[in-house]
Every structure is written in structure tokens, then in C-alpha cells.
Amino acid sequence: MPASSTINTSTCVRISISTALALACTITNPATAQDSHQAKTSAVRTEVIAQNLDHPWAVAFIDRQRMLVTERSGNLRVVQAGSPASAPISGLPRIDAGGQGGLLDVITDSKFSSNRTIYFCYSEEANAKTGGNGNSTAMASARLSDDSKRLEQVKVLFSQKPKFNSRAHFGCRIVEHTDGTLFLTLGDRFSRMQDAQTLHTHHGKIVRINKDGSIPANNPYVGKAGALPEIWSIGHRNGQGATLGPDGQLWAHEHGPQGGDEINKPQAGKNYGWPVITYGENYGGGKISEGQTSKAGMEQPLHQWTPSIAPSGMAFLRSDKYGKAWQGNLFVGSLKFRYLARLEIKDSKVVREERLLPDIAQRIRDVREGPDGLLYVLTDEGRGQLLRLLPAQ
């Protein structure tokens, strides 16, 4: 059975709800349970769906019970509550795992139930076909076999250019838009941050392609001399969270350097400033570029964190399973401070932030809403977990 609030005798997780701070404990001591009941505190419980995962990076649902989980080391597994994680799914392309790179995001196609198509992104090593040296982010499509044991019809849809010797800043979050196109976030590769302001490289960009790898005709730089037509927006540092909002628009966040993590709604042809403008500074202190936080022609973030929380994973909650107060909220994981942020949004601005799971003591890498309307969280650890958040009873 999945671990739940009746399994471990020593694990307690403090979770704040609305304006109160409630205590959710995994307990078997009847006296403690009675004391908790008498206190009449609301509680969100965490249930372990899978554990002992090797630095899991993303979770995607293939039906109401089963999920795909990527491990950064290069494995893709099927997980299901009450069962061990599957053996690695075969058929993945060669993955250049190391540092921040590896097998990263995965999503299922909106018509997965009929076509069994998935999309995944990963760090791709340079080869004779791609040319260049080093590695970069690539995105591929594949069909998950009927028995969910292998990938079929694998096709690389996009490969970031140029390749570069780096183990950092791959970006690599995928979002399917309602128009059928795919967005992919791309990091600046750390030491190539100036490339984020160019149009002839994919470093520090968000790109948009069709599901067959072709370029949408209405992309903002199609037909512009010297510009890569896949580019949707520029001036990004390292986006590790993206989702489609209730407003039908793309929402994304990105890591700042030392301070200045951002939430944006990346729009076609817009410049989001990095590294010309930022609310962060160099590691160890000191200005980046001219130390500006604004400049004409560059977009301001909808929200920024200083100090940095190292955001990863991002999901809007559409269900009311946790009550109306949480419906429509944005949830973002923090790698650095090991909590889940609940953000109340009004007019595309964050008006309130609440820290959930502050005692989880694990880096939160991904957060998704499941088909059951509940939130699922992945922890990025050597023995990482997939957790389901259960509403108060």
C-alpha cells in the first residue's frame, strides 16, 4: 500500500492552510491522534505514492491511476500507488546525464488516451547529425507501447543550438497549448548568458514548435533575417517551471542568479531582460551588467523572489478539492528552501504567498494537478518521492 498518515510513527509535516497553520502528522499513536482531533485543526496529509526514485524531475499522468516519472540519471518509469515503480521503459534516445542535465521533463499529449503520444526533453550530446561540440537541450516525441514497457516511433522534434560544453542551465519544461503547439523553455547554459539577447542562438529562450517539429507560421520571428524561427520570447535565464494558465496563456518562471527569481507570462516577441536587467546579483555579490532592474523595451516580471527560492515545477489548481480558497491558485516548488509555494493571483499579479510543506526537508522539483483534482509533488533527492497531497478529512 502507499505510505499515508497511518504508516510512519515519527514523521510530521507542518502545512499552512488559509490563515492558519495546521499540523499534519503521520502517526499511529492513538493518544496523539486524539489530541490532534481535539485541537480541531485542519490538516492536509501527504501520501507517498512512490519512493527511492533517483532524482526524479517530472511526473505526467497516463490515466487516473498511473503516472510516468523521469529520473535525471536517464530512466523513465511507470508508477502507481500501491505498487513498486516499474523497470525502466526502453527506447529512450542517448541521454547525456551529468550535473543539471539528464532526462528532464515529460508530458502526455492532450489526446494521449487515443494516440499514446508523449513528449520529453533531455540533455543531448553532440553527434554527427547535430554537429558541434558539447551538449544542449533536445525535445522528442514518442508513442508509449500498449504495455507501457517501451517507447516507439521516437522522433527528435527540436535540438537547441549551438551545442556547448556545460552541465548547467538546460531549462527544459514543456507546455502544450490549446492550439496544439508546444512550448519549451531553454536555459542560457550559465556562461553564455549574453546569448539570451540574441536571435541567432537558442540560449536563454522559449521556443514554440508544432507537434511534428515544424515551425508555426505565426511565430514572431518567422521570416526575420538572422533570427531562428522557433523563438517565441528572449531574455530568459533558466526556466524550470511552465504551465498553461486558466487564462489560456503561457506562464513560466525562471531562476535568477543570487536573487531575482521571476514569474512571467511570456508573450510572442517580447524580451524579458536577462542579463541586461535583473533583480539579482552575481554569486558572492556584485552587479550583473549595469545593475539595472528596468529598461525600455524589456518586460518586468509579474513576481520576483529575492532572496532566490530556486523555483522548479509550476501548476495552477483548477479543482476545488482543497476548498474554494485554493481554486485557481498557482503552486511553485522551491528547491533551495524545500517548500511548496501557494500563490494567490489577481489580475496576473501575486497578491499573497503561503509556504506549504515547510518541514518536508526535501527539494521540491515538480508539482502537477492530477486527473483526480489533487496535487502531486516530486522531491529531487537520491531517494526521491512522489507525494500526493490529500485534503483535510
Side-chain angles (χ1 to χ4, degrees), residues 40 43 60 84 88 94 112 116 133 137 162 172 186 188 204 237 311 364:
K40 295 183 179 179
R94 179 178 173 83
F112 176 84
R116 298 191 64 79
N133 297 297
T137 300
C172 206
L186 298 170
D188 67 355
R237 185 171 182 265
I364 294 181

Side-chain angles (χ1 to χ4, degrees), residues 346-375:
K346 183 178 181 181
D347 299 327
S348 295
K349 297 290 185 182
V350 175
V351 296
R352 183 169 182 266
E353 178 176 352
E354 184 176 27
R355 296 184 175 188
L356 310 177
L357 311 179
D359 296 329
I360 194 171
Q362 299 182 69
R363 289 157 50 91
I364 294 181
R365 173 60 72 180
D366 198 14
V367 55
R368 307 279 173 110
E369 181 181 0
D372 55 7
L374 298 176
L375 291 170

